[in-house]
């Protein structure tokens, strides 16, 4: 291969631009802006490509830039001595005029602009959330009147997915959290020789607060994210529009079964989480702090009243509803690209966890005030 | 130009698992041909295209590019061959998180060492060639389906491929846009001297641009004709003539 060569010869007012050698994208080629000053006085440019060897679009790129340069300055360009294919390619490149309102490179956003946009988004997000809640309530009303349309199989599948398939990870996390609670508590209680109260601590903590919280967070990462990704992908493929055009409410068909599945499974998972946590506490207490198993069991049963259990289950149910809400909301709001699906999923998990935390604080304060 | 065919398919059988979709395919494509893979729905046209661009491995047989057997070649040789391919997928398959300019620039940035300003110039040229000058900073979600196809074509041409593959280029386009796309393909072939392989069942496109073809049959699971579609219309097997005449005698 001979390297690409370029020479400008003749009268500066009527220069001849001569292209020689092989022009390839994979090698060094002249860049038009570097030679533009040499055409400063030109009134008429003749392009000569008779000695051009192998060429590809690198030469077309160079010539297109030259033609644009000359076109803007009303310099005449003679293309007769260019290879046939190249002339056609250039004609094609200028066949459609550039879009008049061509968009420039987007300017990088300033800090203030970013803050402003984020605030506006938040401001617009709130009514959308309220509207979505409204739609779900209406859908529930249709469900109660037996008019909501959805597939039973879907519901069973979703229930299995949100419930049974979540058991392994809920077991693992609850067991470990129970262990941590027991250890942390026992070290402090041992100072007073009151190790037996580990049972109260772990029992109350797991059943009333932590079991529900852990279950909620696990489900936000596991099921909420899955809902957002599923619905988001359906949005990208226009599947949700297909439901709308059929006159089937996507809320009834897609959102309602997901809400029902999660809300019905979370109480069970919360209870299960509490039981696993207490079991872990018992293992720690009997194995490490030498408390009798029967003693520990008795103490746990005494500490837990039915109210505590109900409070825990109620909290879990609220968290589950919030997770399903966040997942479905973000999925339904998803844009139409692969990136949007990713954003919807991330946002579903973040929103789910934020809502859980806010609800946890509010409920704890509320129960304290009314003395449950 | 050598007499060696650009692409040669020998005794190719393809399928999924144990189901054979097509067997004993034999045809050659010369340099500069516009080659159409024809056949009814579900006969394996797209599957054949996928094997030719190296996405799926054939059950048996070989595909030669310039005499090099693709599936027998080393990974490095495969990568080299693939660099000479440009592929336009059915819906464009533009990367949705990148602007049109970034979509076209990606292959250039990955496989050449051109400076940024030159890449920008090449991108501008390629987009101008497909009639999308000025759309550099638009995202794929902001343009129409036909424009996506053309942008996909600009991306397929980014590296000046020797062979351009098209999967149903005119599917979903109106007749005029589809005709313009055909003209564009023809112009680009003439300008850049590439070989074009396309899957289509648009009869107007087939007669307008193709000079070579293969006809796959879903029933017998093999090819029943090959050659210039205009000749096949006159003297091809009955079934092919029937197809090319849209079922009218």
């Amino acid at each position: 291969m001979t390297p690409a060569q370029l020479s400008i010869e003749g009268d500066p007012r009527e220069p001849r631009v001569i292209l020689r050698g092989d022009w390839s994208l994979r090698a060094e080629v002249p860049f038009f802006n570097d030679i533009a000053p040499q055409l400063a006085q030109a009134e008429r440019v003749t392009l000569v490509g008779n000695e051009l060897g192998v060429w590809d679009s690198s030469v077309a790129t160079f010539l297109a830039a030259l033609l644009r340069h000359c076109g803007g300055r009303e310099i005449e360009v003679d293309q007769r001595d260019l290879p046939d294919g190249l002339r056609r390619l250039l004609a094609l490149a200028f066949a459609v005029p550039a879009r008049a309102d061509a968009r420039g490179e987007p300017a990088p956003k300033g800090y203030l602009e970013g803050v402003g946009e984020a605030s506006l988004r938040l401001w617009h997000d709130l009514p959308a959330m309220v509207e979505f809640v409204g739609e779900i309530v209406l859908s529930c009303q249709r469900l109660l009147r037996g008019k909501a349309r959805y597939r039973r199989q879907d519901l069973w599948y979703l229930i299995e997915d949100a419930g049974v398939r979540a058991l392994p990870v809920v077991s693992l996390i609850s067991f470990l959290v129970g262990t941590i609670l027991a250890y942390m508590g026992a070290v402090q209680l041992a100072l007073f020789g009151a190790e037996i109260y580990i049972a109260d601590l772990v029992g109350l903590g797991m059943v009333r607060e932590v079991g529900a919280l852990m279950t909620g967070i696990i489900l936000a990462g596991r099921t909420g994210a899955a809902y957002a990704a599923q619905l988001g992908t359906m949005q990208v493929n226009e599947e949700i529009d297909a439901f709308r055009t059929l006159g089937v409410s996507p809320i009834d068909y897609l959102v309602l079964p997901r809400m029902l599945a999660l809300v019905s499974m979370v109480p069970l998972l919360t209870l299960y989480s509490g039981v696993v946590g207490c079991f872990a506490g018992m293992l720690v207490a009997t194995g490490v702090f030498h408390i009798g198993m029967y003693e520990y069991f008795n103490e746990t049963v005494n500490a837990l009243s039915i109210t505590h259990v109900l409070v825990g289950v109620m909290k879990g149910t609220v968290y589950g509803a919030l997770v399903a809400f966040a997942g479905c909301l973000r999925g339904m709001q998803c844009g139409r690209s692969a990136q949007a699906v990713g954003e919807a999923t991330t946002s579903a998990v973040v929103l789910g966890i934020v809502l859980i935390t806010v609800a946890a604080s509010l409920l704890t304060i509320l129960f304290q005030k009314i003395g449950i | 130009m050598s007499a060696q065919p650009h692409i040669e398919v020998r005794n190719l059988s393809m399928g999924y698992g144990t189901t054979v979709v097509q067997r004993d395919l034999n045809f050659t494509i010369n340099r500069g041909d516009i080659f159409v893979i024809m056949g009814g729905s579900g006969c394996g046209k797209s599957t054949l295209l996928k094997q030719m661009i190296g996405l799926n491995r054939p059950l048996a047989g070989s595909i030669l590019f310039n005499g090099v057997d693709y599936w027998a070649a080393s990974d490095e040789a495969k990568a080299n061959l693939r660099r000479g391919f440009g592929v336009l997928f059915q819906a464009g398959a533009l990367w949705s998180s990148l602007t049109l300019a970034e979509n076209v620039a990606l292959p250039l940035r990955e496989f050449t060492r051109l400076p940024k300003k030159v890449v920008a110039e090449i991108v501008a040229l390629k987009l101008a060639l497909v009639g999308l000058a000025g759309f550099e900073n638009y995202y794929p979600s902001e343009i129409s389906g036909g424009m996506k196809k053309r942008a996909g074509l600009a991306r397929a041409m980014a590296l000046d491929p020797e062979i351009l593959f098209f999967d149903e280029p005119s599917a979903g386009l109106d007749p005029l846009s589809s005709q313009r796309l055909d003209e564009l393909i023809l112009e680009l072939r003439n300008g850049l001297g590439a070989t074009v392989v396309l899957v289509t069942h648009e009869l107007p496109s087939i007669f307008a641009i193709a000079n070579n073809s293969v006809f796959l049959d879903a029933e017998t699971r093999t090819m029943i004709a090959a050659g210039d579609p205009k000749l096949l219309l006159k003297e091809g097997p009955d079934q092919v003539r029937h197809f090319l005449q849209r079922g009218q005698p």
Side-chain angles (χ1 to χ4, degrees):
Chain A
M1 240 169 98
T2 50
Q5 281 175 346
L6 178 79
S7 55
I8 298 171
E9 296 171 6
D11 183 355
R13 264 174 305 177
E14 295 196 354
R16 287 156 55 81
V17 177
I18 304 172
L19 309 163
R20 290 194 186 89
D22 297 329
W23 289 57
S24 163
L25 287 177
R26 289 169 177 80
E28 287 276 308
V29 291
F31 183 57
F32 176 72
N33 280 2
D34 300 340
I35 65 124
Q38 296 182 48
L39 296 179
Q41 301 171 30
E43 288 161 10
R44 188 186 142 80
V45 176
T46 308
L47 300 175
V48 183
N50 300 333
E51 292 166 61
L52 206 52
V54 181
W55 58 269
D56 61 13
S57 49
S58 57
V59 70
T61 306
F62 175 84
L63 291 175
L66 185 144
L67 288 179
R68 259 200 307 278
H69 174 88
C70 294
R73 288 168 184 71
E74 295 188 351
I75 303 171
E76 212 180 310
V77 182
D78 184 350
Q79 306 185 22
R80 271 173 301 177
D81 284 338
L82 288 181
D84 224 19
L86 190 52
R87 262 209 326 267
R88 274 193 225 201
L89 212 56
L90 288 172
L92 194 61
F94 289 98
V96 182
R99 191 179 163 85
D101 55 339
R103 191 183 290 177
E105 296 236 359
K109 272 186 204 134
Y111 176 71
L112 274 180
E113 193 181 349
V115 172
E117 278 191 357
S119 320
L120 276 178
R121 255 203 309 279
L122 198 66
W123 186 246
H124 289 299
D125 206 26
L126 279 175
M129 277 193 204
V130 174
E131 193 184 331
F132 197 65
V133 172
E135 285 184 54
I136 293 171
V137 170
L138 286 177
S139 173
C140 288
Q141 192 193 351
R142 282 195 292 274
L143 176 75
L144 291 176
R145 283 166 38 207
K147 281 188 182 162
R149 244 181 291 189
Y150 62 92
R151 283 188 348 147
R152 287 284 147 76
Q153 290 116 287
D154 283 357
L155 180 61
W156 287 121
Y157 171 76
L158 288 166
I159 284 179
E160 184 190 337
D161 187 61
V164 181
R165 284 172 208 265
L167 280 179
V169 63
V170 171
S171 312
L172 178 72
I173 304 278
S174 306
F175 187 86
L176 293 179
V177 170
T179 314
I180 294 167
L181 272 184
Y183 257 104
M184 270 174 51
V187 170
Q188 300 301 318
L189 291 169
L191 293 178
F192 310 102
E195 287 100 329
I196 184 62
Y197 291 110
I198 299 174
D200 296 57
L201 188 98
V202 173
L204 273 180
M206 282 307 295
V207 171
R208 210 181 141 117
E209 296 282 349
V210 185
L213 200 60
M214 285 299 136
T215 310
I217 288 173
I218 292 167
L219 289 181
R222 198 183 167 278
T223 317
Y227 289 174
Q230 282 164 1
L231 297 182
T233 312
M234 293 181 82
Q235 192 70 265
V236 172
N237 290 339
E238 301 183 309
E239 291 172 49
I240 290 179
D241 294 346
F243 277 123
R244 285 215 178 89
T245 52
L246 261 183
V248 174
S249 155
I251 304 280
D252 287 8
Y253 209 90
L254 300 170
V255 175
L256 193 64
R258 286 177 169 74
M259 298 282 305
L260 284 179
L262 212 53
V263 170
S264 59
M265 282 301 106
V266 167
L268 301 178
L269 286 174
T270 306
L271 273 180
Y272 174 76
S273 165
V275 171
V276 172
C278 290
F279 176 68
M282 181 156 80
L283 286 189
V284 172
T286 52
V288 183
F289 297 96
H290 309 295
I291 297 166
M293 199 178 282
Y294 185 70
E295 246 176 304
Y296 186 94
F297 181 80
N298 252 358
E299 188 61 32
T300 305
V301 172
N302 284 339
L304 288 177
S305 70
I306 189 73
T307 325
H308 295 311
V309 176
L310 286 181
V311 166
V313 167
M314 202 211 112
K315 281 186 175 172
T317 314
V318 171
Y319 302 159
L322 291 174
V323 165
F325 169 78
C328 293
L329 173 75
R330 289 301 187 233
M332 296 295 283
Q333 288 176 335
C334 180
R336 298 214 187 267
S337 66
Q339 199 184 6
V341 175
E343 281 164 10
T345 312
T346 311
S347 169
V349 177
V350 172
L351 180 66
I353 291 178
V354 168
L355 289 178
I356 286 177
T357 320
V358 172
S361 340
L362 289 180
L363 286 175
T364 306
I365 296 171
L366 179 76
F367 286 135
Q368 203 77 46
K369 289 273 178 209
I370 59 177
I372 299 178
Chain B
M1 242 174 241
S2 61
Q4 190 183 38
H6 198 180
I7 308 172
E8 191 174 357
V9 170
R10 283 188 199 152
N11 300 322
L12 187 79
S13 291
M14 56 195 197
Y16 301 100
T18 52
T19 33
V20 176
V21 179
Q22 287 282 329
R23 68 177 103 80
D24 302 330
L25 301 181
N26 282 289
F27 55 87
T28 57
I29 303 173
N30 293 319
R31 202 166 276 278
D33 269 2
I34 296 192
F35 184 91
V36 189
I37 302 171
M38 299 186 285
S41 299
C43 67
K45 298 187 295 290
S46 294
T47 314
L48 175 58
L49 194 77
K50 284 205 176 109
Q51 321 242 336
M52 292 177 75
I53 58 182
L55 283 180
N56 294 347
R57 183 181 273 279
L59 294 180
S62 47
I63 303 172
L64 287 77
F65 296 95
N66 296 323
V68 179
D69 185 347
Y70 181 87
W71 288 107
S74 66
D75 283 351
E76 204 182 328
K78 272 194 188 121
N80 269 332
L81 282 174
R82 278 170 108 138
R83 224 156 282 170
F85 297 171
V87 184
L88 172 61
F89 291 93
Q90 231 178 72
L94 295 169
W95 295 301
S96 55
S97 57
L98 304 180
T99 62
L100 297 194
E102 289 166 337
N103 261 285
V104 180
L106 193 140
L108 288 164
R109 281 219 219 97
E110 292 297 316
F111 295 115
T112 68
R113 285 196 206 136
L114 297 168
K116 244 184 165 176
K117 50 185 185 176
V118 177
V119 169
E121 291 267 302
I122 296 172
V123 168
L125 174 80
K126 302 283 171 174
L127 286 174
L129 282 177
V130 296
L132 287 175
F135 282 92
E136 278 84 351
N137 293 310
Y138 281 68
Y139 283 92
S141 54
E142 298 172 306
I143 58 174
S144 72
M147 288 156 88
K148 274 184 209 167
K149 285 229 163 126
R150 283 188 277 145
L153 178 55
R155 186 180 73 187
M157 297 187 317
L159 287 170
D160 284 335
E162 284 179 53
I163 312 170
L164 272 167
F165 293 96
F166 294 85
D167 194 0
E168 310 228 6
S170 32
L173 294 186
D174 67 81
L176 280 180
S177 309
S178 139
Q179 191 193 340
R180 270 201 293 274
L181 190 65
D182 287 346
E183 283 163 9
L184 188 59
I185 294 172
L186 209 55
E187 279 298 323
L188 290 172
R189 197 278 309 255
N190 294 340
L192 292 168
T195 303
V196 176
V197 178
L198 48 103
V199 167
T200 184
H201 25 223
E202 294 282 316
L203 294 178
S205 306
I206 293 174
F207 291 121
I209 60 174
N211 65 348
N212 196 355
S213 70
V214 62
F215 190 97
L216 306 183
D217 182 36
E219 291 278 305
T220 54
R221 296 197 176 157
T222 185
M223 54 186 273
I224 51 177
D228 188 336
K230 290 173 211 87
L231 285 180
L232 292 181
L233 178 64
K234 273 187 231 149
E235 49 208 39
D238 282 351
Q239 206 182 339
V240 179
R241 289 210 327 263
H242 194 67
F243 180 91
L244 290 174
Q245 290 163 349
R246 275 199 144 171
Q248 284 149 13

